[in-house]
Amino acid sequence: MTTSTSTVAPMIPVRLHLSDTDAVDEPRVSQVIVTGWPVAPGLAINVTLDDDGLRLDGRYSLTHLPSGQAIAQRLCARHADQAAVAAIATGIDWTDDAEQILADERTAPLRPGMAVWDWCGYDAFCRAEAYPRPDSPTYASC
């Protein structure tokens, strides 16, 4: 009898800090816990939630765990991996608080308008797919 074993990427709870800045009179701030995949100390990838808190299956966010804020969001699985690899390559200690990280100039390549994944969704190859991908650089053993 042949037994097959598969390695499953570990999952962790991810606390998201959500804010609705469109509500001028009564801005809404909330926290929600979702399941995500750790990619480095202080960083995880999770399914993106829309403004109403609904899952956008096939779209992912790279989240800074200490603050619960997204570094990149609404990405396809391929671009979520690229964002994680770029964040790790900065050498930043992602376990630090958000203020220290925002002040760090090494975050420049991750900022809106600077990142290669800013156009995710406009690229013909950006399709909804499950994360982690079989060729994910963060989960090469899966």
Side-chain angles (χ1 to χ4, degrees), residues 75-84 116-117 119-121 123 126 133:
L75 304 178
C76 68
R78 180 173 53 95
H79 283 121
D81 275 338
Q82 286 180 357
V116 296
W117 53 83
W119 292 100
C120 185
D123 183 338
C126 293
R133 294 162 34 107

Side-chain angles (χ1 to χ4, degrees), residues 36-124:
W37 300 269
V39 293
L43 291 175
I45 291 178
N46 57 275
V47 173
T48 298
L49 300 181
D50 69 8
D51 294 335
D52 296 319
L54 302 174
R55 290 171 50 101
L56 296 176
D57 288 330
R59 294 292 167 197
Y60 304 93
S61 297
L62 176 64
T63 301
H64 176 242
L65 294 173
S67 70
Q69 297 188 1
I71 295 167
Q73 58 188 352
R74 296 182 184 245
L75 304 178
C76 68
R78 180 173 53 95
H79 283 121
D81 275 338
Q82 286 180 357
V85 168
I88 293 166
T90 63
I92 292 171
D93 179 358
W94 292 102
T95 60
D96 282 342
D97 61 44
E99 290 78 24
Q100 283 186 277
I101 289 172
L102 287 173
D104 194 320
E105 286 302 315
R106 294 177 292 175
T107 61
L110 306 174
R111 295 181 183 149
M114 303 297 290
V116 296
W117 53 83
D118 277 350
W119 292 100
C120 185
Y122 300 99
D123 183 338

